[in-house]
Amino acid sequence: MTTKSKDLSYYQRAKRQREILVSGAVTLLGIILLSIYLMPLGYGVITSLKTKAQVSDPDAPILPSENVVFTYEGERYDVLNVPTDDGIQEWALVKKGRGSSTFLDINNPEAGPIEWEGNWRSLEPVRELDVQWSNYPDAWNTIRFPRLLWNTLVYAFVTMIGTLIASSMVAYGFARFRFPFKNILFVVLISTIILPPAVTLVPTYAFFVNVLHWGGTWLPLIVPQMFGNAYNVFLLRQYFMTIPKEMEEAARIDGAGPIRTFISVILPQAAPALTAVALFHFFFAWNDFFGPLIYLAGNRDANPITVGLTEFNGLYNSDTQLILAAAIISMVLPLTIFFIAQRVFIQGIVITGVDK
Amino acid sequence: MRWQEARWGLFFISPWLIGFAIFYLVPMIASLVFSTYNFTLSAPDEARFVGLQNWQRMLFEDPKTWESLFVTFRFALISLPVGMVTAFLLAVLLNSKNLIGRNIFRTLFYAPTMVPLIAAILIWSAVLNPQTGWINRVVEFFGVQAVGVNGLRWLDDPSLIYIAYTFIGLYGIGNAILINLASLQGVPTELYEAAEIDGANWLRRLWTITIPMVTPVIFYNLILSVVGLLQYFIVPWVLNGGSGYPEGMTNFYMIYFYKQAFTFQNMGYGAALAWLMFIVALVITLFLFATGRYWVYYSGDTGNDD
């Protein structure tokens, strides 16, 4: 009896140990993969805080740092790590020489100059952590961020409202009503997803720019968003179909027409799906590049953040630290929204992901 | 009553019906008509009807058409499998019960997808910088001495550029990961339990249960990736200026289309190129649907065969 329970507990212990080991290994693998995956973002943040000199120096340390300078009697000298009989000393280089150079001990400069035999070029400079926060205001001012952000935000919000209204209407139509050719129309709607936008682009462009003279304005980008889009309609329709029909019937008995039912019964019920669509759209608008590139050509004041960043990249391509600071500023808002709303967001994708 | 219902249905879908007519149907037909003309937007009155000349030139006389299509396919052949396999394996990892803090991992793996693409491209171009980027430091750390004085030139070396682009592409796989993940969670656990009793190990369960059960989602990701890659534009445009550099490796189809239609203002020829892209996309999609019958498994359609 006792031996048996002992065996059992031994077996259970072994099993638990094995589980902990597996969990540890899997989690470790996850951490390693995640670090590799996020490494470029880390690089971006760190590099955006460096000086231009450090960014372009291949031998510079990884963290933002600056060579230490020693000021003595009004002169500025680089401080180097000098190997001496008493170990490595931090000395300021006063006079560079071929065979020997003159140094000052920064802790005791009154002791006078010290001659050091050897090539000063072989010595490592002393560095200290030095974070260039000023890169951010510099980037902000150079790139005219307020203008770019404003343009992008207006575009995102105006089209978000348009696409929410239109897509939810269309989704409701497909989810709840019977009408001729409904299935064919739905297949046509879904197949617009695989239609390359290039096919419609040339005539649409000609129409907007030559007939309506909307070139250089946001109208060609905003107006087409007002008619609903296949992804959003699909997602919302999936969601609407899960809402119990009884609620609408109750509203109908109370005398509400279809529009009234849609607004006061369906839309409030679908808040999570509508939020997901709003977020999807926001990220789409924040990222939109090709449309603004062709329609806003020639009107720099109208540029969104994406086009503004590429232009900045072209003009300041030797100032990597500023470009990276600008890139990071441009991702602050989307990432913040994502982290706040990630539950809704991921749920939204799951709704579209399942049930295909 | 039925007529009334149909009327309401059509009312609700009318935004899309109108939008479809204005922004899809009419432009598609117009695009077909445009492809039989030669004209520029600066002088639309001088449009000249040329019949099928644009199509003939595009298909038989312009080597760039096929070259750019070939470039696009060659890149897709590398980038597509890498992206899909990575997304699937990461989803398996993020679905593992043994992963401690799964939700944090899921959020963090998804986060790069939320980084604006342009920002990600700019960061990647710095990371890939031959002298100062981290990638070459890592390569050197692992003792690859062949790197040379200037390091591996990721964006200038024709043999490396697609690898670099594929890395950048991995920053957009978040949605594919999530869709895979949702589908993995839908696999019935009884199947795994039964297999475990039969003594099937982890790899065998992955191969014989998980993968067949998630083939519909793999199929969906495949179609979206193919259609997306056919329109590959922003990365080569921002990084290599749409110049084709190096050695024509970045002459992607969409870039060629953009240059013809908007840089050179050959609107008619551009319309023909766009139609060819549509035909290629359609053929590939239909082909995938045809082959899908043999490898995509829908758990709903069992039972009829036996």
Side-chain angles (χ1 to χ4, degrees), chain A residues 37 55 58 60 178 197 199 287, chain B residues 5 31 117 132 137 170-171 231:
Chain A
Y37 199 57
V55 174
R178 276 171 301 172
V199 184
N287 253 323
Chain B
E5 185 184 344
S31 183
L117 182 58
T132 57
R137 286 197 180 189
L170 291 182
Y171 263 37
Q231 301 163 52

Side-chain angles (χ1 to χ4, degrees), chain A residues 22-23 27 37 40 43 55 58 60 62 169 178 189 195 197-199 203 205 210 227 258 287 313 338 342 345 349 356, chain B residues 5-6 8 15-16 27 31 41 44 98 100 107 109-110 116-117 122-123 126-127 132 134 137 170-171 220 231 274 278:
Chain A
V22 172
S23 284
T27 310
Y37 199 57
Y43 175 87
V55 174
I62 282 175
M169 273 179 72
R178 276 171 301 172
L189 169 82
L195 182 79
V199 184
Y205 182 86
N210 265 39
F227 296 90
N287 253 323
N313 182 43
F338 168 66
Q342 40 118 347
F345 198 71
I349 297 168
K356 197 144 286 108
Chain B
E5 185 184 344
W8 278 113
W16 174 71
S31 183
L41 278 187
N98 292 309
I100 300 162
T107 309
F109 268 111
Y110 193 75
L117 182 58
L122 296 181
I123 288 178
V127 175
T132 57
W134 275 2
R137 286 197 180 189
L170 291 182
Y171 263 37
Y220 171 83
Q231 301 163 52
F278 174 50

